[in-house]
Amino acid sequence: MTDATVKMDAPFPASLLDSAPAPTVGTAQPRIDGPRKVSGTARYAAEHFPEGLAHGVLLRAPIGCGRITGVDAEAALAMPGVLALIRDERLIRNGGDFAGAAAPVQGVDEVAYFGQPIGVVVADSPERARAAALSVKVTYEAAPGVFDMEAARGTALPPTDDIYGLFLIHTEQGDVDRTAHEAAALVDAVWRTPSQSHAAMEPHASVAVWQDGRLTLHASYQSPVVTRDQLATVMGLQPSEVRILSPFVGGGFGGKLGVMPEAVAAAIAARHLGRPVKVVMTRQQVFETTGRRPMTHQRVRLAADAAGRLTVLQHETITDQLAGEVFFEPAGLATHLLYAGENRLVDHKVVRTNKLLGVSMRAPGEAIGQLALECAMDELAEALDLDPIELRLRNEPERHPELGIPFSSRALVDCLRHGADRFGWASRNRVPGGLRDGEWLVGHGMAAAARGNLFGPSRARVRIDAGGRVMVETEMTDIGTGTYTVLAQIAADLLGVPLARVEVRLGDTDDPASAGSGGSWGAATSGSAVYAACAELRARLAAAAGLPADTLTFADGMVTASGFRRPIAELVGDGLSVEGSVQPGESNSRFNQTSYGAHFCEVRVHAVTGELRVARWNSVFAAGRILNRQTATSQAIGGVVFGIGGALTEELVHDPRSGKVVNRDLGEYHVPVHADIPPIDVHFLEERDPVANPLLAKGVGELGVCGSGAAVANAVYNATGVRVRDFPITLDKVLAGLPPVSAARRRA
Ligand code: MOS
């Protein structure tokens, strides 16, 4: 039962956070879970060793499409310590995403992609399980699969589901064809982005323990309640019969949203053997058998009149996915709202391929959609001989250009102006290839950023014990984002206790359910539930004091009013416990809620080798109230690094004969490392968004990814005069177009 609910049907009148006497919210606070992480005492999923533990290793399909005709485990089962080979059709069901209820049901012998789990081998040690799995002889009949999305583009069909109506599969207004033919300036091109991997630091791991008919899973999931419900469905259990614990998650980026095969394998094997079973994926298995960001083929057509006003915005995306799966990469998301313009067409289609499941990855849709859109804007600005910032300023919409609804808050123009100042944009060289520093070609680029702000139902329990200590409990997770710290700050400020007197417990499905960590909604939704609980606690403390709540001040562990001063501990008696919740309401549909930003960067391209280096970076963001400057900055920097990776290095390579992931480790799948990244300057504008939630905050986790890759690509063009529309922009794609270097110089 929830004691206090905030429903967002209208702008929130006034946030109690704005009257906290000594606020920690808004300041930079180091993570309260930091000491446990650096000292190794934060226990991750794979670090659980219950009594009698056995170890499972996934057995996986060695073909990309076809049938398993035989599994000979005789030798494997005779090996020392080997307990079982379990083959079960439930193994290959996976949630994949929030929309996992529609996961495919297939026989365990049918293979839809290379690396698909077809069994689990269990032994008394991980080494023995692995050796046994390698000894299992699998025979198969390969069938011709679809491995090349480009070649199969003609088979593209609309997605089967709009994923809660969020992704807007198809919108259309005006006449894009006719208007494009009359335009003063036109850009019409195709951008391609490859499959990408989340590449979180911590591999997927699950430890399953059955006790009295109930399954407990120590696992690493971003939204344990979602995973619990999916796992319960797969196992034929009630959700109440499953408990998932994910107090620490070593990165997710969307790859740990839906239930993955290691969790199902551990649960099935533990039940089968009557003892706890741990399944930890190897790095290669994470790359091959969890999920990926689907590849895209994006046609963007932009047209403008002579005054630089957009007349056509057209963005058609073709992406790929396994048959039967509902998730699709919604690359056109930001195109619906970023710029004004009367004639518009946004469309998505899906090609069914036999490749690893496509799932959400950090800023699904927007991250790679803005690679195309924001590069196209750069090309259009050039065609108009306009500064790219000026082009954006001339196309700033008053309201949502397709839905006609107001924006809850929108500071894109301020982000562009502040960013330009901080970077020194005005003094840049405008002639592509026109600036050299020795053998380096120097270029500058910019792009806008937008990421939708989402809000879902969330609950949290806040307790004050007899000693005045505060405990916050919610199923919400901290996937490296700072949730522990942010929730503690909100409770500390609202109840007027020092941060050190607040404890936060996360990631247990037996605690009040949250919206989980995903879609950049984590801090704002779970923080709002904590807000609702604390507001109710203040009312109860006021009742205990016999005074109206709005006359009280909560600070330093004391409750004070004129002529009244008592320690909070004295007012709570044996303790107070309140459950707060937040519910989305009409504000979700009456307003468009989006976080904005602008990126500016300098890229250097070596004139001889084509080596690309990002040399300088400024980003400015507006995302409502910033709850913790340190963790938000860290999220923003991480997002920009993600964007740089998408622009320059990240590509999951599929073998064209089988769809197999070729570069299935961090040595071959290139995420940027320290030496690839310059100091990144992140600045947040002061903003409050009363439409969003009681915190007046919007999401930041995915905002930095949006547009940042396009800023890099635009800078590469400015440096070299080479437009690369096939991401990532590796040096081989730039080299051919570089200005000639004399043969003598090349040798030197
Ligand atoms: Mo995110 S892709 O919802 O973790």
Side-chain angles (χ1 to χ4, degrees):
M1 257 322 271
T2 302
D3 304 291
T5 299
V6 173
K7 190 158 184 279
M8 292 307 295
D9 281 326
F12 200 75
S15 178
L16 292 170
L17 287 173
D18 285 310
S19 52
T24 64
V25 169
T27 65
Q29 294 290 336
R31 296 176 187 203
I32 60 175
D33 49 323
R36 290 185 69 185
K37 287 187 171 164
V38 297
S39 63
T41 54
R43 247 219 244 177
Y44 288 82
E47 298 175 311
H48 289 85
F49 298 90
E51 193 61 35
L53 182 65
H55 301 266
V57 166
L58 292 173
L59 189 65
R60 298 173 313 127
I63 51 171
C65 184
R67 284 176 48 78
I68 303 297
T69 53
V71 175
D72 176 359
E74 205 182 324
L77 289 169
M79 291 168 74
V82 176
L83 300 166
L85 162 65
I86 301 161
R87 301 193 59 226
D88 187 310
E89 71 93 17
R90 292 172 297 185
L91 266 177
I92 59 160
R93 295 186 59 163
N94 56 50
D97 221 283
F98 283 110
V105 183
Q106 303 160 79
V108 72
D109 291 335
E110 300 298 322
V111 176
Y113 69 93
F114 194 103
Q116 174 186 308
I118 55 172
V120 56
V121 178
V122 192
D124 59 5
S125 81
E127 294 80 5
R128 285 171 154 178
R130 189 182 59 173
L134 289 170
S135 307
V136 175
K137 292 187 188 69
V138 178
T139 49
Y140 49 82
E141 254 169 39
V146 181
F147 305 118
D148 184 344
M149 185 190 85
E150 283 292 332
R153 268 199 289 126
T155 66
L157 290 170
T160 49
D161 191 312
D162 195 12
I163 327 270
Y164 306 136
L166 282 177
F167 284 4
L168 300 172
I169 294 171
H170 181 91
T171 57
E172 200 174 337
Q173 68 187 48
D175 186 336
V176 290
D177 284 329
R178 191 177 49 82
T179 315
H181 288 121
E182 297 161 355
L186 182 73
V187 172
D188 188 355
V190 171
W191 281 262
R192 289 186 181 84
T193 64
S195 298
Q196 296 176 341
S197 182
H198 309 80
M201 195 102 75
E202 180 203 19
H204 295 58
S206 285
V207 179
V209 184
W210 288 85
Q211 204 166 25
D212 307 323
R214 193 172 191 230
L215 169 65
T216 297
L217 197 79
H218 301 276
S220 181
Y221 284 101
Q222 297 173 226
S223 185
V225 158
V226 168
T227 309
R228 176 197 67 186
D229 293 353
Q230 293 175 337
L231 186 58
T233 303
V234 172
M235 300 296 293
L237 298 167
Q238 293 302 312
S240 60
E241 295 174 297
V242 180
R243 180 186 191 188
I244 294 185
L245 294 156
S246 291
F248 297 104
V249 178
F253 309 118
K256 293 173 181 168
L257 281 174
V259 67
M260 287 294 173
E262 99 294 342
V264 182
I268 292 173
R271 172 164 253 185
H272 182 88
L273 293 168
R275 60 193 279 190
V277 172
K278 177 190 297 190
V279 179
V280 181
M281 284 200 187
T282 62
R283 181 64 65 190
Q284 289 82 1
Q285 290 176 345
V286 173
F287 272 93
E288 286 184 333
T289 307
T290 60
R292 66 181 164 109
R293 191 199 297 275
M295 57 172 52
T296 65
H297 169 113
Q298 303 178 51
R299 179 199 180 192
V300 177
R301 178 160 69 167
L302 299 179
D305 63 18
R309 278 188 304 261
L310 281 160
T311 53
V312 172
L313 289 102
Q314 183 172 355
H315 192 168
E316 293 168 285
T317 299
I318 296 173
T319 178
D320 71 335
Q321 176 62 292
L322 279 169
E325 292 288 344
V326 297
F327 175 80
F328 66 97
E329 187 71 32
L333 265 185
T335 311
H336 296 297
L337 59 89
L338 208 35
Y339 304 113
E342 271 176 28
N343 303 280
R344 316 176 71 95
L345 192 157
V346 178
D347 184 66
H348 300 89
K349 289 200 169 59
V350 179
V351 173
R352 300 295 169 177
T353 55
N354 294 101
K355 291 188 303 193
L356 173 63
L357 179 71
V359 300
S360 288
M361 181 165 139
R362 200 171 189 179
E366 287 150 319
I368 52 164
Q370 280 165 66
L371 268 179
L373 176 65
E374 289 298 290
C375 286
M377 285 292 281
D378 205 66
E379 296 196 27
L380 186 68
E382 188 185 32
L384 288 159
D385 195 23
L386 257 189
D387 183 283
I389 297 178
E390 182 57 31
L391 175 63
R392 287 164 174 86
L393 297 181
R394 291 189 191 178
N395 291 285
E396 174 67 7
E398 293 271 318
R399 296 165 87 83
H400 190 293
E402 293 180 10
L403 303 174
I405 55 176
F407 296 106
S408 63
S409 56
R410 177 172 167 126
L412 175 59
V413 167
D414 285 347
C415 289
L416 291 166
R417 293 209 164 113
H418 274 79
D421 284 351
R422 291 175 81 87
F423 184 79
W425 180 254
S427 61
R428 84 196 193 288
N429 158 55
R430 287 183 63 163
V431 182
L435 184 62
R436 281 183 87 121
D437 179 6
E439 292 193 335
W440 293 90
L441 300 162
V442 181
H444 299 122
M446 60 79 53
R451 166 68 194 172
N453 184 65
L454 305 168
F455 193 66
S458 221
R459 297 190 288 139
R461 188 188 305 117
V462 180
R463 293 190 278 130
I464 311 174
D465 71 16
R469 287 194 59 88
V470 176
M471 172 72 88
V472 177
E473 292 158 316
T474 166
E475 166 270 346
M476 176 62 189
T477 53
D478 187 326
I479 62 171
T481 42
T483 315
Y484 279 106
T485 315
V486 167
L487 298 190
Q489 288 174 262
I490 293 166
D493 287 8
L494 293 180
L495 298 174
V497 300
L499 204 48
R501 288 185 66 76
V502 183
E503 197 178 319
V504 180
R505 283 195 9 188
L506 299 178
D508 182 345
T509 55
D510 281 358
D511 279 332
S514 77
S517 291
S520 299
W521 61 65
T525 50
S526 59
S528 293
V530 172
Y531 180 103
C534 290
E536 175 64 17
L537 280 169
R538 286 164 67 120
R540 297 201 183 174
L541 289 165
L547 291 164
D550 57 4
T551 64
L552 299 180
T553 302
F554 298 80
D556 302 323
M558 306 292 288
V559 180
T560 52
S562 86
F564 180 90
R565 185 172 169 82
R566 296 267 297 278
I568 199 168
E570 281 182 21
L571 290 171
V572 297
D574 293 338
L576 279 178
S577 177
V578 158
E579 191 177 304
S581 78
V582 281
Q583 287 289 340
E586 287 178 26
S587 298
N588 268 8
S589 51
R590 281 179 48 216
F591 296 87
N592 177 269
Q593 302 178 35
T594 300
S595 299
Y596 294 91
H599 305 284
F600 295 82
C601 70
E602 177 177 305
V603 170
R604 294 175 164 242
V605 181
H606 197 270
V608 181
T609 66
E611 179 183 350
L612 298 119
R613 311 293 307 174
V614 179
R616 196 153 69 83
W617 199 283
N618 293 83
S619 293
V620 173
F621 299 108
R625 187 199 307 275
I626 298 306
L627 300 170
N628 180 332
R629 222 148 269 279
Q630 185 164 328
T631 55
T633 299
S634 176
Q635 284 298 296
I637 290 173
V640 170
V641 172
F642 227 89
I644 293 173
L648 296 181
T649 64
E650 292 192 43
E651 176 177 13
L652 208 55
V653 178
H654 300 276
D655 187 321
R657 298 162 302 182
S658 64
K660 179 190 186 337
V661 174
V662 174
N663 52 345
R664 49 183 198 152
D665 60 48
L666 292 171
E668 296 292 325
Y669 181 84
H670 293 156
V671 295
V673 296
H674 259 60
D676 296 321
I677 301 297
I680 291 171
D681 172 66
V682 165
H683 180 73
F684 289 105
L685 298 181
E686 276 301 321
E687 187 181 56
R688 299 286 184 268
D689 192 330
V691 169
N693 49 60
L695 312 176
L696 321 187
K698 295 187 288 190
V700 293
E702 295 164 316
L703 182 56
V705 196
C706 303
S708 43
V712 173
N714 295 337
V716 170
Y717 173 72
N718 181 246
T720 63
V722 182
R723 291 271 187 206
V724 179
R725 302 190 190 93
D726 284 294
F727 290 96
I729 308 174
T730 46
L731 60 83
D732 52 302
K733 297 174 189 169
V734 188
L735 210 46
L738 291 184
V741 180
S742 76
R745 180 133 188 169
R746 224 181 256 283
R747 274 196 302 274

